[in-house]
Amino acid sequence: MMLFRLPSMRPDETLYSLAARIRLVNVARCDRDACRCMFGTTMNTHVDEFPVDIETFCRATNEQFGTRDTVTDRYTLISYFEKLGFSPWHRASNMLEPIQVRHGLGALSNGLRGRWRICPKCISRDRRCWGVAHWHRTHQLPATLFCPIDDVPLEERTLPYPDRHNRFFFPDEVPTRQPRMDKDISKNQELLIRLARLNVSIILDVLHPVPCRITRSAFMRALSERALVTASGKIHRAEFVREMQTHFGMLSPLHDFAHELTGESLGRLASELVEGSVSSVVHDLLLIELLFGSWSAYQSHCQWQAVMEEDSRLNSNDYIHRIEHSGSMVGHMQPRKDCLEILQKFPSISRSGFSRAAPKAFRWLMRNDAEWFDDVLPIRRPNHAQGLFRFK
């Protein structure tokens, strides 16, 4: 197959949909042959699972739809998940970039969900404007049950098996299956629309992803301001679970939220936050909605946290430099270095946490260098008036 014609670009389109429209305006023996031309030769010839080589796609289309990075950001979900610190698809090697692993065409366009979603109003509008409807990227994002443009519930469509392996499907060619729990979707319309618009803000954001340690520190600081973090840096598990279920428990009957809102799953989330990792993108979205209210506010907190950590790192390095060049303080050097290095990694650590992390340095500093230790890591006092800490 040769690409003699290329269709015009459309806003908010998936790579699967764009490939289907390219196939529509060109001649090929079959849709599989069209995939080979656009994405390279492979042993797997299932259309919906066809391994994508984006550089081959850019060469085949003469970069009419953008460069490699532009196509990745504009037509796939890779950048969306990376902005939230996730790698939703198995990578063949940690040394490879996501676009080098050759993820499946359907996975790049819709994630790993088996249910593809459409908006009836968007389909009607697409037909009026262009004659053929296309798959919208923002409809396929996790926890998106409403169209962020028309504020109407999305419908689910499952591509028929095995036809989906053999040919492309447009959204108006697949039978509609109304999502379950229609009443639960309707009565939580306001919250679900906010989550859908939050997803749009994330996928359209042009900023580079923030390091995971910064985002988790921002979460912990925001939880601390809600008095949900103990003096030792742990999360009040029972209070945290109750807070999350109070705000989002009404979504638990919905399939997309049922697992994430169980007590067991939220308890595991409390542990993951302390450890610096979150395993569910839905949990991330709910935390951003609860603690910050918008993606821009969340990004602002992360930028502030990054500045604070950089200042802390520079101050710690300055302390270490002075200690290493002070002949009269040779005996103080190692315990102080241990203390500053731990503070650099865990800026919010308490004295009890430090005593467990470095017991020898803690005991030495308490006995021989208490004044310096009090300056660097003062004893935390509970502020009962503001409710900054809670004790069991």
Side-chain angles (χ1 to χ4, degrees):
M1 169 182 168
M2 294 290 294
L3 300 184
F4 296 104
R5 297 179 59 194
L6 293 175
S8 59
M9 291 188 292
R10 295 187 186 178
D12 190 31
E13 185 172 21
T14 68
L15 185 61
Y16 175 96
S17 180
L18 176 60
R21 291 197 301 116
I22 293 174
R23 163 69 175 103
L24 189 65
V25 297
N26 288 276
V27 177
R29 289 180 300 177
C30 62
D31 288 5
R32 294 177 177 179
D33 188 49
C35 286
R36 293 188 190 97
C37 174
M38 288 184 281
F39 304 120
T41 304
T42 178
M43 296 295 292
N44 185 349
T45 57
H46 290 169
V47 171
D48 61 322
E49 299 172 353
F50 202 94
V52 173
D53 185 331
I54 295 182
E55 291 183 338
T56 297
F57 177 81
C58 292
R59 286 195 300 270
T61 58
N62 290 321
E63 296 189 350
Q64 292 297 306
F65 301 101
T67 61
R68 183 187 72 170
D69 293 337
T70 304
V71 170
T72 302
D73 292 339
R74 184 179 292 166
Y75 296 102
T76 77
L77 300 186
I78 288 177
S79 64
Y80 167 83
F81 285 102
E82 287 186 339
K83 288 167 191 171
L84 291 171
F86 287 87
S87 175
W89 307 291
H90 175 70
R91 295 187 178 183
S93 169
N94 291 332
M95 301 300 294
L96 295 178
E97 297 180 12
I99 56 176
Q100 295 176 307
V101 180
R102 300 195 71 176
H103 298 297
L105 179 58
L108 284 176
S109 300
N110 297 70
L112 292 182
R113 278 192 303 102
R115 305 179 310 280
W116 293 15
R117 291 184 171 132
I118 61 97
C119 167
K121 290 190 176 182
C122 288
I123 285 183
S124 299
R125 188 161 47 246
D126 292 345
R127 284 173 171 171
R128 289 196 304 270
C129 293
W130 296 295
V132 177
H134 65 269
W135 295 98
H136 285 252
R137 199 169 52 140
T138 55
H139 295 165
Q140 318 307 326
L141 299 174
T144 294
L145 302 185
F146 271 78
C147 175
I149 299 175
D150 298 299
D151 292 347
V152 297
L154 297 175
E155 298 176 358
E156 295 179 355
R157 300 202 167 179
T158 303
L159 275 62
Y161 178 85
D163 293 344
R164 65 173 182 263
H165 291 337
N166 301 321
R167 73 178 187 91
F168 286 108
F169 282 88
F170 290 98
D172 50 354
E173 295 179 328
V174 186
T176 302
R177 181 168 66 88
Q178 290 288 347
R180 294 172 292 179
M181 306 295 183
D182 287 341
K183 293 182 179 179
D184 295 291
I185 292 176
S186 299
K187 70 182 181 183
N188 294 298
Q189 175 173 340
E190 183 179 347
L191 175 56
L192 290 171
I193 289 176
R194 288 206 308 271
L195 291 173
R197 290 176 178 170
L198 173 60
N199 268 334
V200 172
S201 300
I202 296 171
I203 202 168
L204 296 182
D205 188 5
V206 297
L207 296 177
H208 293 292
V210 179
C212 185
R213 60 181 178 80
I214 300 295
T215 63
R216 302 315 169 211
S217 296
F219 279 143
M220 290 298 291
R221 183 176 292 275
L223 289 169
S224 179
E225 292 173 356
R226 287 176 170 258
L228 293 174
V229 179
T230 69
S232 61
K234 299 292 183 66
I235 292 179
H236 288 288
R237 187 180 297 258
E239 288 86 345
F240 173 76
V241 171
R242 184 161 53 248
E243 183 91 353
M244 291 289 288
Q245 290 183 335
T246 298
H247 283 82
F248 304 112
M250 70 289 292
L251 301 179
S252 56
L254 302 175
H255 179 271
D256 294 67
F257 302 92
H259 174 71
E260 276 74 9
L261 291 173
T262 62
E264 179 182 358
S265 181
L266 291 173
R268 186 166 59 251
L269 172 61
S271 301
E272 290 172 347
L273 285 168
V274 174
E275 296 166 0
S277 64
V278 176
S279 59
S280 167
V281 66
V282 175
H283 279 158
D284 241 27
L285 291 171
L286 296 181
L287 284 169
I288 293 170
E289 168 65 25
L290 172 65
L291 300 175
F292 307 101
S294 69
W295 179 249
S296 60
Y298 171 63
Q299 289 289 85
S300 297
H301 278 75
C302 289
Q303 291 168 6
W304 182 83
Q305 185 69 33
V307 171
M308 293 293 292
E309 291 198 9
E310 179 64 15
D311 289 345
S312 175
R313 184 185 68 81
L314 292 175
N315 290 337
S316 297
N317 289 341
D318 182 56
Y319 270 124
I320 294 173
H321 177 77
R322 282 187 286 153
I323 290 170
E324 289 175 342
H325 291 80
S326 176
S328 61
M329 299 179 67
V330 175
H332 299 63
M333 185 185 301
Q334 191 57 49
R336 286 190 178 187
K337 285 183 66 176
D338 292 343
C339 179
L340 293 172
E341 287 173 357
I342 290 174
L343 279 173
Q344 185 176 335
K345 293 181 181 178
F346 308 101
S348 61
I349 195 170
S350 64
R351 279 203 172 194
S352 60
F354 175 71
S355 69
R356 291 191 294 271
K360 290 184 179 180
F362 174 79
R363 289 193 297 269
W364 195 96
L365 290 170
M366 287 292 290
R367 288 196 304 266
N368 304 290
D369 205 4
E371 184 177 353
W372 179 90
F373 194 36
D374 288 338
D375 289 338
V376 175
L377 190 59
I379 300 174
R380 293 182 180 178
R381 305 291 183 185
N383 189 332
H384 297 293
Q386 297 182 10
L388 295 179
F389 299 102
R390 292 181 182 176
F391 299 94
K392 292 184 178 180

